[in-house]
Amino acid sequence: MTGDNETRTVGGLPTPGDGRSRLPAVLTRAVWLLWVVSLGVSAAWLRRGGPQVSAGPVAVNGLTILMWTVVSFFGGIVHSYSRRYMAGERDAVGFFGRVFAFTLVVMALVAADGLALFWAAWLVMGLVMASLIGHGGWPQAQAAGALARRYFLASSALLAAGLAVLWWHTGATTISGVGGAVGSDPSTVVLAAAGTLLLAAMTQSALVPFQGWLLSSMTAPTPASALMHAGFVNAGGILLVRFAPVVTADAQVMLAVVVVGAVGALTGKLLKSVRTDVKGALGCSTVGQMGFMIMQAGLGFFAAAVTHLLLHGFYKAYQFLASGSRVAHEHPAKSGPESTGVVGAAVGAVTAVAGAGLFVVLTGKGSGNGLLLAGLVGLTVLHVARDVTARPSLPETVRYGAVPLVALPAVAVYGGVYRAVEGLLVGLPAVGTTAMEPTAVHALVAAAFLAAYLVVETGVHRRSRRLYVTLLNAGQPPSTTLTSTEEYDEY
């Protein structure tokens, strides 16, 4: 880049001889040890029958052991991947230190029962992630990190306000104490606290209109992006699950959660449809997936929200760590899907109905808003089926046969994980309550998802220049985080 005076060399990666060079290996082994310990704690907790164990400001329950195991596993994968990815990096030691600190802070967050500890972990988690986004020292990365930091500080301020209101109203200093004191007849004070908690969750999970920090974060090293999209953005869902008694105290609050989640899910889907870069498309996908997660919490399906964040975390971590292999090496004219045809459409429709039915059978969500959730599962299967059957590289029989053979087992896995998570969350306040009854708002949300599916699948957004440009502009990060093409002219 312009003004870059570093000496360029070709050869092997540097091998420093001081003790700091061993720190990445030490931290990698330490985080894998944390995973083994988490497995041991989980086994002991399950052997005891699963009661909540409280010790001062910390509480160990089903959600805690689940998230400890998953977070430490993700941390181990990212540490191991970074050993090669960051080799030769000037500040590799600092990067590993921040990634390890992030893993510890998230584990503290999911175990925190004290309001002060939960808020402190939330704040530190955001500051560490902003530092990872700004890693590298080049101006665009620093601008993206500074932007993310402002968002995260605002989220922490909103969370602090909500927790302070709850403490003042209930006198409780723990999350479990707040849940027991709120009751089912909330006051205006509790509703105001619920609103601030929802805004904090939206900011951290990059829901519309707070998606700017996430779309600007593509400057982050790939391991940091994997950690961000697989773990950090899930904090909004964890917040709503931990404070479920506050969120579920009033039906209007739950409707608001559904609406903001649906807007995020639909916007993320539409923004992704016009992105051509791999990491940008993954970022827009995360916005949509986090919206869907929040919407499930608003429907009262907290176990489904936790299941979604877990499976999305595994999927998105893999997608980012393997993002380099997703670059297509072919002429653009050959990259578009062909028409599925009548047979392909029929196979997709039958598989979608079967997938939705299988989901209902496995989860028992066959009534009320459970049908909305099952319908969204069917739409997802239909979208995947269209992608598979439209690929011209395979014979038709293989394509059509692969749709049910892949989609239905995937739905079965989702249903099985959902049931397991539901069992782990038994006993958490308000998490196992009956889901909301359907309203006109839920019907409008279902119609909006169907309309968005038809818009994308029929290509309306591409034929309309105004809509296409609007979506393209909406998915762009702030100009301060963009790299000018003139910086590459000399190369």
Side-chain angles (χ1 to χ4, degrees):
M1 295 182 184
T2 302
D4 186 358
N5 297 319
E6 292 185 5
T7 302
R8 294 176 174 79
T9 59
V10 178
L13 295 171
T15 307
D18 58 12
R20 287 172 57 85
S21 64
R22 293 190 292 271
L23 187 61
V26 171
L27 294 180
T28 301
R29 295 188 182 97
V31 76
W32 281 116
L33 179 61
L34 280 176
W35 179 62
V36 173
V37 172
S38 298
L39 290 176
V41 172
S42 300
W45 185 85
L46 292 171
R47 191 179 301 115
R48 292 185 56 181
Q52 175 165 300
V53 180
S54 300
V58 175
V60 178
N61 50 42
L63 180 64
T64 304
I65 64 167
L66 177 63
M67 295 309 300
W68 273 357
T69 304
V70 173
V71 169
S72 57
F73 179 77
F74 280 152
I77 293 294
V78 171
H79 277 75
S80 298
Y81 181 91
S82 301
R83 290 284 302 280
R84 177 61 188 173
Y85 185 92
M86 299 300 294
E89 176 74 21
R90 178 182 301 174
D91 190 28
V93 172
F95 178 85
F96 272 88
R98 289 189 289 271
V99 171
F100 186 75
F102 179 83
T103 305
L104 294 180
V105 170
V106 174
M107 294 181 73
L109 177 76
V110 297
D113 191 38
L115 298 179
L117 177 59
F118 186 88
W119 178 82
W122 187 275
L123 173 65
V124 175
M125 177 181 66
L127 294 177
V128 174
M129 180 51 66
S131 178
L132 286 170
I133 293 174
H135 180 84
W138 54 301
Q140 285 72 23
Q142 292 178 341
L147 178 66
R149 189 176 300 107
R150 290 195 293 271
Y151 275 91
F152 302 156
L153 289 175
S155 173
S156 298
L158 288 167
L159 179 61
L163 297 183
V165 168
L166 291 173
W167 168 73
W168 172 77
H169 180 70
T170 65
T173 59
T174 62
I175 298 175
S176 55
V178 167
V182 167
S184 58
D185 187 20
S187 64
T188 304
V189 175
V190 175
L191 295 181
T196 59
L197 295 181
L198 176 58
L199 287 173
M202 291 171 62
T203 305
Q204 212 84 343
S205 292
L207 265 64
V208 177
F210 307 114
Q211 77 278 13
W213 72 263
L214 185 67
L215 300 181
S216 302
S217 67
M218 301 308 157
T219 56
T222 296
S225 294
L227 202 62
M228 181 198 319
H229 290 257
F232 179 81
V233 293
N234 294 322
I238 297 298
L239 174 62
L240 295 182
V241 173
R242 296 296 306 276
F243 288 90
V246 179
V247 177
T248 59
D250 185 83
Q252 300 304 313
V253 175
M254 294 289 280
L255 281 177
V257 177
V258 170
V259 170
V260 299
V263 170
L266 293 171
T267 303
K269 172 62 177 177
L270 292 173
L271 293 180
K272 179 188 175 184
S273 66
V274 299
R275 292 300 292 259
T276 56
D277 59 307
V278 174
K279 292 184 72 173
L282 290 175
C284 293
S285 170
T286 295
V287 174
Q289 294 298 326
M290 291 302 99
F292 189 54
M293 174 191 69
I294 296 295
M295 190 184 76
Q296 289 177 98
L299 292 172
F301 302 132
F302 291 98
V306 174
T307 302
H308 189 86
L309 71 88
L310 291 177
L311 296 180
H312 173 261
F314 279 103
Y315 171 76
K316 199 53 67 72
Y318 166 77
Q319 288 293 313
F320 267 97
L321 295 181
S323 58
S325 63
R326 295 192 57 196
V327 178
H329 300 283
E330 58 185 10
H331 192 278
K334 300 179 180 180
S335 61
E338 293 183 349
S339 174
T340 58
V342 176
V343 177
V347 170
V350 171
T351 305
V353 172
L358 180 61
F359 175 80
V360 169
V361 170
L362 293 176
T363 63
K365 305 302 180 185
S367 61
N369 282 324
L371 291 176
L372 172 59
L373 190 58
L376 295 178
V377 170
L379 275 181
T380 302
V381 173
L382 191 60
H383 176 69
V384 173
R386 183 186 182 280
D387 283 349
V388 173
T389 55
R391 297 180 182 275
S393 57
L394 296 174
E396 289 186 354
T397 54
V398 175
R399 282 184 280 157
Y400 298 154
V403 169
L405 292 178
V406 173
L408 296 182
V411 173
V413 170
Y414 176 74
V417 174
Y418 175 87
R419 297 296 292 184
V421 171
E422 193 175 39
L424 287 173
L425 299 187
V426 169
L428 291 182
V431 169
T433 56
T434 304
M436 290 185 62
E437 291 299 320
T439 66
V441 173
H442 297 105
L444 289 175
V445 168
F449 271 92
L450 180 59
Y453 173 82
L454 294 175
V455 165
V456 173
E457 294 302 316
T458 57
V460 172
H461 65 300
R462 292 186 179 276
R463 291 195 296 271
S464 170
R465 292 185 178 182
R466 184 180 298 274
L467 179 57
Y468 183 85
V469 172
T470 299
L471 292 174
L472 197 62
N473 290 336
Q476 296 298 316
S479 58
T480 55
T481 62
L482 294 175
T483 302
S484 174
T485 54
E486 284 77 9
E487 296 188 40
Y488 298 99
D489 286 348
E490 61 183 290
Y491 304 118

